[in-house]
Amino acid sequence: GKPAIAYSNQSGNIKYVIAKDPLGAGWETPTLVDAASGGANTSLKIINTRPAISYSVYNYPNSPLNMFAPITHPALGHQHGVLRLL
């Protein structure tokens, strides 16, 4: 397999990126998963052989929304799954 990471950038957007090789010597272009504008606390996990990200969105009053996104990546020949509220 190839290493992959999920992260939130300075704008709070949730992104996913996968390495081009098993050693992580080069990386694909990051894929925007959610323009959450307040996303944080990403966690990447493999579910049924596919990567998925859970994360929190903090731009809502009173409490964060916890989101789940089955992840796909153009480099793997997939398309994005549907975001779900946890």
Side-chain angles (χ1 to χ4, degrees):
K2 299 175 187 174
I5 58 171
Y7 64 96
S8 58
N9 65 10
Q10 292 177 336
S11 299
N13 297 324
I14 305 298
K15 294 194 174 190
Y16 170 81
V17 65
I18 188 168
K20 290 183 177 183
D21 60 72
L23 298 177
W27 293 83
E28 300 288 348
T29 301
T31 298
L32 178 65
V33 175
D34 187 6
S37 298
N41 303 322
T42 59
S43 178
L44 179 63
K45 185 169 181 98
I46 302 297
I47 299 175
N48 295 328
T49 72
R50 301 288 294 272
I53 297 173
S54 63
Y55 58 97
S56 299
V57 179
Y58 286 93
N59 60 353
Y60 294 94
N62 302 322
S63 64
L65 295 176
N66 295 308
M67 303 295 289
F68 167 80
I71 298 305
T72 57
H73 196 279
L76 302 175
H78 304 141
Q79 295 186 9
H80 283 294
V82 176
L83 297 177
R84 293 187 295 190
L85 180 63
L86 295 179

